[in-house]
Amino acid sequence: MTTTRIRLAALSVAAVVAGGLAGCGSSGGEAAEKKGKEGGTAVIALTSDQQGVDAASLNDVRENVTRQLTDSLVYRNPETEEYEPWLATKWTVSDDASQYTFTLRDDVSFNDGTKLTAEVVKANIEALQQKGVHSTPAGLVHGVKVEVVDEHTARFVLPRANAGFLANISRADVGIVSAATAAKPLAERQKSIDGSGPFKLVSWDANRAVVLKRRDDYKWAPASIAHDGPAYIEELRYEVIPEDQVIYESLKAGKVDFFEAVNPLQVNTLKAAGVQISDVIGSPGLAQEQPLNVSNPILRDKRVRQALQYAIDRDAINKATWLGTNQPAANIFARTNPFWTDLGQYLVHDPAKSVRLLEEAGWAQVGSDGIRVKDGKRLSLRAAQNSATVQIEQEAWKKIGVELVIDPPLRAEANKRILTGEYDVTYWEQTYPDADILRANYGRTSGSNRSILDPSNAEDAALDALLEKQAVTSNPEERKQTVNEAATILVRDAYTLAVLERGKVWALGKRLHDVTPNGVDQLFYTAWLSS
């Protein structure tokens, strides 16, 4: 098997999007040719400080910094979409998918010199279940117990059957760290972790840089990656550069080697300067989503939520933010998710229908400021994010009589304040190639409950029951039917607003090659620098 690499685009982004994410393989011969190209420092630009290095408490670091520091029990091959051995050499699954037994490699060490054992794996899962862990990894291992069978065998006993559990543990936010790291308070883990990955942490200087060094003893990469042994690049330096334009000029000048979130408006200028531009890196999880807080009495009425949905002009947002090179969402799932079906009928632009729905919901009166009023209360909502998409929605909703106040929280406080129901229109991003992402995000019983479902509300309870049911259904066709029913409710009844397909465009400086995408995760293990 070969590993997926970015195909550096000689085409326009529009052509790349039309053709989808195209990867090219790398043979053993090519890998051998690169043996003489070890070394160097790659500079990676970040627009803001990541607040630390540990994905147990910080969502943003998992796809960049944390993925270089930690390995997972299993590896999702992005070409085949199959799960392959990584830290585990093999595994068995019980007939009801409630128990997963993993046999571990016996040659893996962490950066602190300690060895991988079943006890360490057990300590990792227990650490992710403590109070204060970020909702994503906490949801992925919710209720899971780990039994130590022997030194290199760990049995995961799930609280309920979960046919998609391998996807959970393939992610960087459930990456395995040393026993000492697992035992640290979360505040200390944010500053420093010891993983088994191809790079080790040298320093995190808040608001300035994160520095990683190559581990010369690394030798346990997944077999399908056409490279073994240590990484090629000696040092990765993640530098905080708040201004996008400074990043673009630095890419052109060769002072920055990688940037993960290129504005499509800058693509042609960068290419003209010799900067390498990737295909659009599509997320295998959900489309660009905006969960709505249904605990707000205004949004409790699904007609109001649907009115917001129909007022969104997704084509206009695509043109304004992607020069038309992306695609409007047609489901809460991204098109790259195997559970995607076309639900576009619920996502058409129809502002006249929005007005009718609002009037049916009792919001017929319009105040002198153009905002609708009901029982003396203005139809005003609060947004947790300030982005071009939200600003366009703000204008569109104002035309139908809805005020959107954009008042984002501090980044470090965002997740907690969103989940407590402080905001009405929120945001989320999760890359996850299985349907269980819906339960993890929207389930009340065992998920993050991002729409703040109310168990006393019959519709909310029915949705939560479907999200739980799909996780324990082992029959593929039955599970797919249940998933589609849940996704339809989420989209049709506007528990969340699906806007565009989610994707990123990467920029690589002239000397950087073969950064491997896995979803939107960045694997610098295979990357190398030319002189």
Side-chain angles (χ1 to χ4, degrees):
M1 280 182 270
T2 58
T3 184
T4 299
R5 305 287 172 88
I6 297 175
R7 177 169 62 83
L8 296 170
L11 305 174
S12 69
V13 170
V16 169
V17 173
L21 174 60
C24 62
S26 176
S27 70
E30 289 172 334
E33 290 176 7
K34 295 168 190 171
K35 285 289 185 181
K37 298 179 180 178
E38 293 95 345
T41 296
V43 177
I44 302 156
L46 301 173
T47 55
S48 62
D49 184 60
Q50 305 292 74
Q51 308 293 320
V53 298
D54 180 34
S57 52
L58 302 163
N59 186 60
D60 291 340
V61 297
R62 63 172 174 77
E63 65 191 49
N64 46 55
V65 174
T66 306
R67 184 72 286 178
Q68 320 313 319
L69 298 173
T70 65
D71 300 326
S72 299
L73 292 177
V74 299
Y75 173 74
R76 177 184 175 270
N77 186 320
E79 282 189 354
T80 66
E81 298 185 352
E82 298 291 333
Y83 294 95
E84 301 175 353
W86 197 349
L87 295 182
T89 60
K90 61 183 179 180
W91 56 88
T92 59
V93 183
S94 63
D95 290 340
D96 64 354
S98 67
Q99 294 188 16
Y100 290 70
T101 303
F102 297 90
T103 301
L104 308 177
R105 293 183 65 128
D106 60 7
D107 61 346
V108 174
S109 66
F110 296 97
N111 180 47
D112 63 2
T114 58
K115 295 292 187 179
L116 172 70
T117 66
E119 288 284 1
V120 173
V121 172
K122 182 176 188 290
N124 268 259
I125 301 305
E126 291 175 350
L128 293 177
Q129 295 169 339
Q130 65 181 299
K131 185 178 180 180
V133 169
H134 192 278
S135 60
T136 300
L140 293 172
V141 296
H142 176 78
V144 174
K145 303 296 183 185
V146 178
E147 299 175 352
V148 175
V149 179
D150 59 40
E151 185 178 9
H152 292 106
T153 308
R155 179 178 298 119
F156 284 55
V157 181
L158 281 51
R160 63 190 64 78
N162 187 344
F165 186 66
L166 289 179
N168 292 25
I169 58 170
S170 71
R171 292 168 52 95
D173 31 20
V174 191
I176 304 299
V177 296
S178 70
T181 297
K184 285 182 180 181
L186 287 174
E188 293 302 312
R189 283 185 61 158
Q190 283 185 228
K191 301 174 185 176
S192 177
I193 62 173
D194 284 312
S196 65
F199 292 90
K200 59 186 177 182
L201 178 67
V202 174
S203 63
W204 166 53
D205 188 357
N207 296 308
R208 296 191 65 183
V210 178
V211 179
L212 311 183
K213 284 279 190 182
R214 178 180 66 200
R215 284 190 61 183
D216 292 332
D217 59 347
Y218 188 80
K219 56 181 179 181
W220 42 83
S224 62
I225 293 181
H227 174 50
D228 197 9
Y232 295 115
I233 295 176
E234 177 70 26
E235 180 180 83
L236 301 178
R237 183 176 179 86
Y238 293 84
E239 294 192 355
V240 178
I241 306 175
E243 298 295 329
D244 284 8
Q245 196 56 45
V246 175
I247 294 175
Y248 299 139
E249 294 304 317
S250 298
L251 280 162
K252 296 174 188 176
K255 296 179 180 179
V256 164
D257 297 300
F258 184 85
F259 181 46
E260 68 170 2
V262 176
N263 185 326
L265 303 178
Q266 297 289 330
V267 165
N268 289 335
T269 300
L270 290 171
K271 286 170 62 179
V275 176
Q276 304 173 90
I277 301 298
S278 77
D279 295 350
V280 172
I281 311 297
S283 161
L286 300 181
Q288 180 185 351
E289 56 178 325
Q290 297 172 303
L292 298 181
N293 176 8
V294 301
S295 71
N296 180 335
I298 293 175
L299 296 176
R300 178 71 275 167
D301 190 327
K302 66 182 176 184
R303 293 172 294 187
V304 176
R305 307 196 303 264
Q306 290 168 331
L308 300 177
Q309 181 103 285
Y310 285 116
I312 298 173
D313 187 343
R314 290 164 178 79
D315 286 325
I317 292 174
N318 186 21
K319 290 176 182 176
T321 61
W322 283 83
L323 292 179
T325 60
N326 201 340
Q327 295 183 79
N331 194 314
I332 186 174
F333 287 121
R335 284 174 168 82
T336 50
N337 192 297
F339 289 87
W340 181 90
T341 58
D342 192 347
L343 300 176
Q345 61 180 307
Y346 304 115
L347 300 174
V348 296
H349 181 221
D350 190 347
K353 188 171 185 176
S354 297
V355 171
R356 290 196 301 273
L357 285 165
L358 291 173
E359 291 176 348
E360 290 173 10
W363 294 93
Q365 180 184 351
V366 179
S368 59
D369 59 355
I371 303 304
R372 294 180 181 273
V373 179
K374 178 182 177 183
D375 299 330
K377 184 178 179 64
R378 298 171 73 250
L379 210 174
S380 180
L381 303 171
R382 191 177 179 204
Q385 184 182 39
N386 187 7
S387 66
T389 294
V390 173
Q391 291 170 15
I392 293 170
E393 290 171 337
Q394 183 185 48
E395 290 300 312
W397 291 345
K398 185 176 181 180
K399 292 177 182 178
I400 63 170
V402 178
E403 178 183 60
L404 183 66
V405 178
I406 300 175
D407 182 25
L410 294 174
R411 188 171 187 169
E413 302 173 352
N415 195 55
K416 180 179 180 181
R417 293 177 66 181
I418 286 171
L419 290 178
T420 56
E422 187 174 334
Y423 290 89
D424 306 309
V425 182
T426 66
Y427 64 95
W428 192 237
E429 175 179 350
Q430 195 162 8
T431 58
Y432 186 82
D434 187 81
D436 200 45
I437 191 173
L438 296 187
R439 179 201 56 80
N441 276 9
Y442 294 96
R444 182 186 180 279
T445 299
S446 61
S448 299
N449 197 20
R450 294 200 166 271
S451 288
I452 323 293
L453 302 184
D454 180 357
S456 67
N457 179 276
E459 292 182 339
D460 289 5
L463 172 59
D464 188 48
L466 286 171
L467 296 175
E468 291 295 313
K469 179 182 176 182
Q470 63 78 30
V472 301
T473 302
S474 56
N475 181 286
E477 289 306 314
E478 291 180 9
R479 185 172 186 237
K480 193 167 186 177
Q481 182 177 347
T482 302
V483 167
N484 186 56
E485 188 176 350
T488 300
I489 292 171
L490 283 163
V491 173
R492 182 196 64 208
D493 296 348
Y495 281 91
T496 186
L497 305 176
V499 185
L500 300 179
E501 290 293 305
R502 189 182 300 283
K504 291 184 177 181
V505 175
W506 293 354
L508 285 77
K510 300 174 185 178
R511 67 188 191 128
L512 180 62
H513 312 276
D514 288 349
V515 181
T516 303
N518 194 341
V520 293
D521 284 0
Q522 305 148 16
L523 304 184
F524 278 86
Y525 172 65
T526 54
W528 55 283
L529 295 165
S530 55
S531 58

